[in-house]
Amino acid sequence: MSKKLISFLFILLALGNFQAQDKAEKALEIFSEKYPQEKIHLVFNKNSFVAGENLWFKSFVFNGYELSAISTSLFVELYDSNKTQISKKILPLINGKGNGNLTLPDNLKEGIYYVRAYTTWMTNFSEDFQTLRPIVVYNPSSPQKLVINDNSQWTAAAFPESGTFIDGIATKFAVRLQSKGITPSEWSGYVVDMEKPEVKITSFKGFDQNVGAFSLTPTTGKKYQLIVTDSKGNKQTVNLPPVADSGIHLQVTSTNEAIKFSLQSKNIAPGTVYKVIAMINNQLVFKVKSGKILEQTYTIPANQLINGILQLTVFDDKENVLAHRLCFVQPDLLNIKKPTLQSLSLDPSPRASNSFTIAQNAENDGYTVLVLDGNSESSEDENSLLSTLWLTGDIRSKIYRPSQYFTPNRNSEAFDALLLTETWKRFDWKTLLSGTYPIISSQPQPYISYKGKVSIQGKPAANTAMNLLFSMPDKGTKLYQVKTDANGFFTLRGLIFEDSIKFSYQLNDPKIPKEQVQVIFQPDYSFVSLKGNLPGSHYTLVQRTNNDQPTDQVKRYVTTKNNQSSINEKATLIEEVKLQAVKKDKTKELNEKLSGPLFQSANETIFDFVNDNTNTAQGSMNILQWLQGRVAGLTLEMDMGNYVPKLRGSTVNIYLDEMKIDPSQVSTVSTADIAMVKVMKDYFLGGSGGGGGAIAIYTRRGGISGSANNADLPSKLKQITLNGFDKEVPFVSPIYGNDNFNSISQDVRTTLYWNSSLKTDPKEPAKIQFFNNDDAKSYKVIIMGFDDRDYAPVYYNEAVK
């Protein structure tokens, strides 16, 4: 359950006259606790591409309305319009965030392609909630070209509020447009009585290209029609639902102060008991059950809630769903942390240096920063981080430019009408009340995990110890021991490495010849085939003629692509010179020297006692006591006179020079002899079974202990290569002011700066520097992240000059 929702859940339940749980509440509680829902947002370095370019992306994986801690690996795939897979990647997720790139082959035909992203946990649920983003790829050499499909047919549908249309009750309707291409930007409609089609009862204009709204009080026996027309004269007629002579109607109003709702009825016996429950992110936040529910208006205080979609459902005394409604909490008061830009130094001169800083913020550990030529489009223009978090991550129907509902000039009335046309898609009440829940067939493994099987002369090596050895420059040969189970199997969990790594292996029993031993490794993860259909797009392909010329945008892309190899080569040379001139961070260098690949964690805190001149640990009798209070979540408990460390309430293992020791042995290690301590709060290979955290102590004695004596040993043993995460290609921009880049005759880059993981210092502002292209006069700056303390997105998307 969301940490923030817990804090006000009981307040709202009390306001809602909470009683004992009924079947619906029990089913919702089970679903919320056991089946959390992940959703993914992808932001690209630009909005469209040409064949042969690299596509860089940043991923944010959410569990409801906060960053997800469920998954640590992300699967990303590229498909063409025929659903043929072109490439695939597996990437690490650190605190719910990841980044990478996809290389678009030079021979890709011009067309619409699709980037798919999902986690192992997401494959247990509807494929509809996986991310499937269309991208435009141009190729002037292709026989066909893309054109916008603005002449396709559109359809209209009418949705009465709460799904009911009852005699004598004023009812709000939302009208939703859909199309395979682009829906009309200007359209309107009116309602008539079918017996008097020449008389307009009410009329309206569309809010945007998705939705419009009107209100109507119906009369039993009459039949109503909706006529919708666009600016080109296209027309569609829609029959409104039949008018019911009895029933329950739910009316909802959402403001910044409160969500107010009331039930209106016709021909309903007084005293009938009804129940209304409200939920956010599948979690119950309000409930009322009463025989007098039809007699009053109820208020849910919005300041006790978080931004998000609120679902209200009305049940009868047999828990049948009578009415439902979606609305958004505080639509005009979005909780967004907007970074502050400072020290702007912008020069529109060709190839000039530009810079700005982002004010320091102790609550943010980093940002994704994108700077575009001001005339360029961004992938955020269509579907932004905000619209994924608060809308499209849970509502999977086609919405034209969903980002518009979260911009400063948003139309909240249009957004409310849009939600009136939707139902909650994460589950359906009928299925939930029947006791049917998702079947969990795939559990997420920590980072990269492998299963292995050891055989001796073809027979499983049961309960056998095996040594894994690997050698690293300047580190000697590291040894890690695993033990098989009764069937000869073992697991390696929580590996964090890129590309590949080579292991040598031998059984711990020297009497068994290595020729008789066979070890088979198999990844404990898998890509999952795409079963559903690809979504439509706003484009269609037409035959290219001999006179067709590429657009200015495509010409810019081609020029940039042709320049990029030269830019990469020259920038790499400059970076190599920098690295030779600048000394490595001493703590980082110490960590690389002392700890082997098995003892690497994505979430580790390092205490350097070699280079830290203010080392206070030497005055402590026990290093564990010194660590307490310096590591968040670390506590100590006494057990038979020894300190036992715990993280998040769970006992963690202690390693001395990467060899596991008992807590009682820590007191025998003098703090004066300690070179470094690492507290790892995440999975790592060196832990037992992958581990969920550890304290690793490294001594000054012997430099690197835990190494095999014979450095040549691995070369004499059998070897196996394990594949890790896919490595990201670095994003490189020209650095003007350096003669190496004078050979670039034309600079027409649209992406001037891209940093998917800009690290920040809580005490210092973060500085961004980039160089202009040849013609940019303004810039589009996009900064994004997530504030874990306040559970709020960090977002900046503005044009600057």
Side-chain angles (χ1 to χ4, degrees):
M1 178 178 286
S2 168
K3 304 177 187 73
K4 189 170 184 181
L5 281 174
I6 290 173
S7 65
F8 60 77
L9 173 59
F10 298 106
I11 297 174
L12 292 175
L13 289 176
L15 291 170
N17 189 25
F18 176 67
Q19 300 175 22
Q21 280 190 328
D22 294 322
K23 191 174 181 180
E25 294 92 293
K26 290 179 181 177
L28 185 60
E29 181 180 24
I30 292 172
F31 187 81
S32 173
E33 293 295 336
K34 294 186 177 181
Y35 306 96
Q37 310 289 294
E38 288 186 319
K39 53 191 173 188
I40 300 171
H41 179 69
L42 295 178
V43 57
F44 303 137
N45 64 298
K46 59 179 186 171
N47 197 42
S48 53
F49 304 84
V50 292
E53 283 191 299
N54 270 305
L55 178 159
W56 281 273
F57 62 85
K58 175 75 174 190
S59 62
F60 295 85
V61 182
F62 296 100
N63 172 10
Y65 298 125
E66 58 191 63
L67 287 171
S68 178
I70 299 171
S71 299
T72 54
S73 297
L74 181 71
F75 300 91
V76 180
E77 301 165 351
L78 179 66
Y79 291 87
D80 67 13
S81 57
N82 295 317
K83 219 169 79 169
T84 301
Q85 189 181 95
I86 297 169
S87 63
K88 61 183 180 180
K89 297 280 183 83
I90 180 171
L91 307 162
L93 291 171
I94 311 299
N95 298 324
K97 294 175 284 188
N99 46 271
N101 75 285
L102 293 167
T103 300
L104 306 175
D106 283 296
N107 61 352
L108 280 188
K109 293 182 179 179
E110 185 160 320
I112 301 299
Y113 293 81
Y114 298 85
V115 178
R116 179 194 183 201
Y118 60 94
T119 66
T120 297
W121 180 250
M122 292 174 71
T123 61
N124 294 303
F125 307 97
S126 171
E127 194 177 65
D128 292 341
F129 293 100
Q130 297 174 14
T131 293
L132 201 56
R133 292 280 296 271
I135 60 166
V136 175
V137 178
Y138 296 106
N139 188 341
S141 301
S142 190
Q144 292 182 308
K145 66 176 184 178
L146 286 169
V147 295
I148 294 178
N149 181 13
D150 56 1
N151 292 316
S152 61
Q153 296 291 320
W154 51 266
T155 60
F159 299 84
E161 183 173 23
S162 81
T164 57
F165 193 37
I166 303 167
D167 175 50
I169 297 178
T171 302
K172 179 180 178 180
F173 273 83
V175 181
R176 183 78 175 269
L177 299 188
Q178 294 282 8
S179 173
K180 290 183 178 180
I182 296 180
T183 49
S185 56
E186 294 184 12
W187 59 283
S188 60
Y190 60 90
V191 177
V192 299
D193 179 345
M194 292 178 66
E195 294 182 354
K196 299 179 180 179
E198 71 283 356
V199 179
K200 297 181 181 179
I201 299 173
T202 186
S203 59
F204 67 95
K205 287 187 177 181
F207 291 124
D208 52 39
Q209 291 179 255
N210 294 309
V211 71
F214 66 89
S215 293
L216 180 66
T217 302
T219 302
T220 301
K222 289 191 175 183
K223 297 180 180 179
Y224 299 94
Q225 279 188 332
L226 168 68
I227 292 86
V228 180
T229 58
D230 64 17
S231 58
K232 296 180 179 180
N234 299 310
K235 179 187 291 187
Q236 190 159 119
T237 300
V238 179
N239 291 331
L240 297 189
V243 180
D245 56 9
S246 64
I248 294 288
H249 181 71
L250 172 66
Q251 290 185 338
V252 180
T253 302
S254 179
T255 66
N256 291 336
E257 292 72 37
I259 294 97
K260 295 184 178 181
F261 72 89
S262 62
L263 296 181
Q264 293 183 306
S265 65
K266 182 70 178 288
N267 296 330
I268 297 296
T272 304
V273 176
Y274 294 97
K275 176 174 64 178
V276 178
I277 65 175
M279 67 167 205
I280 296 179
N281 187 36
N282 301 334
Q283 298 169 25
L284 181 66
V285 296
F286 181 91
K287 169 186 172 180
V288 61
K289 184 177 182 181
S290 172
K292 299 181 179 180
I293 200 170
L294 302 177
E295 301 174 8
Q296 57 185 299
T297 297
Y298 291 86
T299 300
I300 305 175
N303 63 357
Q304 295 291 333
L305 298 169
I306 59 174
N307 290 131
I309 295 175
L310 181 82
Q311 177 185 3
L312 291 120
T313 308
V314 183
F315 298 88
D316 65 14
D317 56 353
K318 295 181 180 178
E319 301 211 62
N320 296 308
V321 175
L322 302 180
H324 57 83
R325 173 77 148 87
L326 300 184
C327 65
F328 194 80
V329 178
Q330 296 188 310
D332 292 315
L333 196 62
L334 299 180
N335 182 21
I336 302 171
K337 297 296 184 72
K338 185 177 179 180
T340 302
L341 268 59
Q342 299 175 332
S343 305
L344 268 76
S345 176
L346 304 178
D347 184 347
S349 303
R351 310 190 183 191
S353 175
N354 300 280
S355 65
F356 61 86
T357 62
I358 306 173
Q360 64 263 37
N361 187 334
E363 305 305 327
N364 292 308
D365 60 354
Y367 300 102
T368 295
V369 182
L370 171 63
V371 181
L372 295 163
D373 183 312
N375 295 319
S376 303
E377 291 187 346
S378 160
S379 64
E380 290 291 289
D381 295 339
E382 173 70 23
N383 191 28
S384 67
L385 172 71
L386 306 179
S387 55
T388 296
L389 177 64
W390 285 323
L391 179 60
T392 58
D394 298 303
I395 303 298
R396 301 307 297 167
S397 58
K398 184 179 179 181
I399 302 172
Y400 180 79
R401 296 182 81 89
S403 61
Q404 66 183 296
Y405 299 111
F406 304 96
T407 58
N409 60 346
R410 58 189 174 275
N411 185 334
S412 298
E413 189 179 359
F415 188 23
D416 186 66
L418 179 79
L419 290 178
L420 197 151
T421 71
E422 295 284 355
T423 57
W424 190 247
K425 299 295 197 310
R426 287 293 186 176
F427 68 82
D428 109 348
W429 277 113
K430 186 176 181 180
T431 302
L432 216 58
L433 289 169
S434 70
T436 303
Y437 297 97
I439 297 173
I440 303 301
S441 56
S442 300
Q443 292 288 349
Q445 295 297 324
Y447 298 103
I448 295 287
S449 297
Y450 277 87
K451 294 181 291 186
K453 184 177 182 180
V454 182
S455 301
I456 301 174
Q457 291 185 320
K459 295 180 180 180
N463 304 312
T464 300
M466 183 178 71
N467 296 323
L468 296 177
L469 301 97
F470 56 93
S471 58
M472 302 291 291
D474 302 323
K475 293 186 179 183
T477 301
K478 290 286 186 176
L479 180 148
Y480 175 63
Q481 191 173 91
V482 297
K483 190 171 183 180
T484 63
D485 62 16
N487 297 310
F489 291 99
F490 66 93
T491 58
L492 299 175
R493 304 174 73 229
L495 287 82
I496 304 176
F497 65 96
E498 292 180 327
D499 290 338
S500 61
I501 190 169
K502 288 185 178 181
F503 284 91
S504 302
Y505 61 87
Q506 68 172 6
L507 293 190
N508 208 26
D509 187 349
K511 298 177 183 178
I512 302 175
K514 65 178 183 180
E515 292 79 12
Q516 297 180 7
V517 180
Q518 182 184 29
V519 180
I520 298 174
F521 284 89
Q522 180 180 353
D524 204 7
Y525 64 88
S526 61
F527 289 82
V528 178
S529 299
L530 177 63
K531 298 176 183 177
N533 296 323
L534 296 170
S537 76
H538 306 326
Y539 292 84
T540 186
L541 283 168
V542 298
Q543 203 66 27
R544 197 186 300 271
T545 67
N546 293 331
N547 297 325
D548 279 336
Q549 294 294 319
T551 64
D552 290 342
Q553 179 189 42
V554 174
K555 289 179 180 177
R556 293 176 75 101
Y557 286 177
V558 171
T559 300
T560 300
K561 184 194 75 169
N562 293 337
N563 286 337
Q564 198 61 47
S565 59
S566 175
I567 292 173
N568 289 346
E569 180 182 348
K570 298 179 190 308
T572 300
L573 289 173
I574 292 175
E575 287 301 314
E576 288 176 353
V577 171
K578 284 184 179 179
L579 286 175
Q580 292 172 4
V582 179
K583 192 173 182 179
K584 271 190 175 181
D585 176 84
K586 291 183 178 180
T587 298
K588 182 179 178 182
E589 189 175 15
L590 182 68
N591 184 33
E592 291 177 352
K593 180 180 180 182
L594 294 179
S595 59
L598 302 183
F599 278 72
Q600 302 289 333
S601 171
N603 192 358
E604 61 184 19
T605 303
I606 300 173
F607 298 95
D608 178 357
F609 301 143
V610 173
N611 303 298
D612 185 359
N613 295 325
T614 61
N615 181 8
T616 59
Q618 292 190 18
S620 301
M621 296 295 293
N622 188 302
I623 191 63
L624 297 179
Q625 285 179 288
W626 184 85
L627 287 173
Q628 190 175 28
R630 290 177 168 84
V631 178
L634 177 66
T635 58
L636 298 180
E637 293 184 6
M638 291 297 294
D639 183 11
M640 300 182 68
N642 297 310
Y643 290 109
V644 177
K646 292 195 172 186
L647 279 171
R648 307 185 190 99
S650 299
T651 302
V652 296
N653 292 327
I654 305 172
Y655 296 85
L656 180 64
D657 292 325
E658 302 189 352
M659 302 296 289
K660 187 176 178 182
I661 63 172
D662 188 83
S664 63
Q665 295 176 262
V666 175
S667 60
T668 66
V669 182
S670 170
T671 52
D673 293 332
I674 296 176
M676 181 181 76
V677 175
K678 288 209 301 185
V679 180
M680 294 175 280
K681 297 182 179 180
D682 214 332
Y683 290 92
F684 69 103
L685 180 57
S688 301
I695 296 174
I697 303 168
Y698 295 86
T699 66
R700 300 173 188 260
R701 298 191 296 260
I704 305 173
S705 56
S707 300
N709 293 326
N710 185 356
D712 297 326
L713 185 59
S715 63
K716 299 177 181 179
L717 303 175
K718 290 187 176 181
Q719 285 192 337
I720 193 164
T721 300
L722 301 183
N723 293 320
F725 289 110
D726 289 292
K727 190 173 183 178
E728 180 181 12
V729 173
F731 181 89
V732 180
S733 297
I735 305 170
Y736 292 118
N738 185 293
D739 292 341
N740 287 317
F741 295 95
N742 290 338
S743 60
I744 300 175
S745 60
Q746 187 180 16
D747 185 348
V748 288
R749 291 169 297 131
T750 56
T751 304
L752 304 178
Y753 181 90
W754 166 262
N755 191 331
S756 59
S757 301
L758 176 68
K759 299 301 180 183
T760 58
D761 185 328
K763 298 180 182 179
E764 297 288 338
K767 184 174 182 179
I768 286 85
Q769 182 180 19
F770 62 95
F771 289 89
N772 209 0
N773 60 20
D774 286 342
D775 57 6
K777 304 301 179 184
S778 64
Y779 311 95
K780 184 180 291 186
V781 177
I782 299 173
I783 304 169
M784 57 182 66
F786 197 83
D787 188 326
D788 283 315
R789 180 176 178 180
D790 293 331
Y791 310 108
V794 176
Y795 200 74
Y796 183 100
N797 187 349
E798 292 186 11
V800 296
K801 295 184 178 180

